[in-house]
Amino acid sequence: MSKSLNIVLLGPPGAGKGTQAALLLKEFNVLHVSTGDMLRSAIKEGSAVGKEAAGYMNRGELVPDELVTRAVVERLSKPDTAHGVMLDGYPRTINQAESLGHALAKMGRKLDGVLYFKTSDAVAVQRLSGRRVCRKCAKNYHETNMPPKKAGVCDLCGGELFQRDDDKPETVKNRLKVYQASTADLVEYYRSKKQLIEVDGDAAADKLFKDIVALFKNRA
Ligand code: AP5
């Protein structure tokens, strides 16, 4: 890749943003910045940010804008983001989108596109209810769509697979509601700025990956 590429992965919970990010990292020399992963690490470490975020996340609600924006802007100021970033799960509100725009402008950078994973609720629910994550290396699996070779065990590191607390049915329902109420407006927000690139989030992961690579190959 010759120049920096800054993209946002936008879509409902279970759209496959994290799955595609992991695949795209092998293709593009950019950094994956997932606010969900950052917040889960903060909870694991027991930091002040983690303590504040935990309750919101367990209920499937959004963590306050100010807290998550501070964490993202701090991350974007590190030198390893120079080749560009793939922002996964941020922004999630108009307020966050505006903060991101200001922060990038201040750094002399701009967004190259917002990849919107248009995904149906039924597919999102099926994916989240079957998702399993490695406790050691955090690799994602799905009980039926992408099963590990041995049930309950990570193919890569042998770690134990578990279900995220917020993937339980009641919390999933709330996360989808919160997405509609707070995040879905970003689709029109970015469409009006001519930054939206829509892909079929319901598609099989390998097909979607090929489509996305083709879309970004000429931009990178
Ligand atoms: P976060 O971790 O960002 O969760 P999310 O956006 O809800 O996204 P998910 O990780 O659930 O889904 P995904 O789209 O990455 O799907 P995945 O690839 O894993 O956020 C968690 C919480 O943190 C939020 O609820 C909030 O509280 C807080 N938070 C985070 N960011 C915030 C922000 N900016 N502001 C405020 N609060 C914030 O795939 C799902 C499953 O499907 C997997 O099992 C996978 O194997 C399978 N799969 C994926 N793609 C396919 C496919 N194409 N075909 C078949 N199966 C597939």
Side-chain angles (χ1 to χ4, degrees):
M1 209 187 77
S2 54
K3 60 180 170 122
S4 117
L5 182 71
N6 296 296
I7 60 172
V8 163
L9 308 184
L10 173 67
K17 306 180 295 293
T19 300
Q20 291 301 323
L23 295 170
L24 289 165
L25 285 183
K26 294 174 192 153
E27 205 66 31
F28 301 106
N29 180 23
V30 296
L31 195 78
H32 178 207
V33 176
S34 155
T35 42
D37 288 350
M38 284 164 74
L39 292 167
R40 280 184 288 277
S41 296
I43 292 174
K44 218 169 170 182
E45 286 159 15
S47 70
V49 167
K51 282 184 183 136
E52 192 175 342
Y56 295 100
M57 291 177 76
N58 288 337
R59 291 188 296 273
E61 292 165 11
L62 294 185
V63 170
D65 285 343
E66 191 268 325
L67 190 147
V68 74
T69 291
R70 199 171 355 116
V72 169
V73 172
E74 205 178 295
R75 188 66 193 86
L76 290 179
S77 68
K78 303 252 165 77
D80 60 353
T81 63
H83 285 297
V85 288
M86 204 166 5
L87 283 168
D88 169 2
Y90 185 93
R92 255 174 155 99
T93 61
I94 300 281
N95 189 12
Q96 290 182 15
E98 285 174 349
S99 299
L100 175 65
H102 294 317
L104 288 175
K106 248 183 167 175
M107 294 171 189
R109 302 186 200 172
K110 62 168 186 57
L111 270 187
D112 296 292
V114 174
L115 198 56
Y116 166 48
F117 293 64
K118 190 174 183 206
T119 312
S120 62
D121 275 6
V123 166
V125 168
Q126 189 272 352
R127 287 186 187 161
L128 294 177
S129 58
R131 173 165 55 190
R132 298 295 180 268
V133 184
C134 176
R135 220 177 264 291
K136 246 162 113 184
C137 72
K139 180 172 165 51
N140 263 352
Y141 295 87
H142 188 282
E143 280 194 318
T144 52
N145 303 359
M146 299 175 189
K149 289 189 184 109
K150 189 172 168 210
V153 181
C154 178
D155 292 348
L156 292 186
C157 73
E160 180 204 1
L161 304 188
F162 76 106
Q163 183 175 38
R164 266 170 50 176
D165 281 342
D166 62 349
D167 281 347
K168 307 271 160 67
E170 275 317 298
T171 317
V172 164
K173 245 196 233 167
N174 196 38
R175 286 165 66 198
L176 288 169
K177 249 198 235 162
V178 168
Y179 174 80
Q180 281 308 330
S182 307
T183 309
D185 284 350
L186 289 178
V187 172
E188 290 315 316
Y189 176 86
Y190 283 120
R191 203 193 303 278
S192 73
K193 290 180 175 288
K194 309 230 177 307
Q195 286 177 312
L196 200 79
I197 303 162
E198 189 172 306
V199 292
D200 179 10
D202 286 355
D206 51 352
K207 167 164 192 323
L208 188 51
F209 173 61
K210 283 186 195 139
D211 290 349
I212 298 172
V213 170
L215 281 168
F216 280 97
K217 258 290 153 33
N218 298 330
R219 298 170 184 244

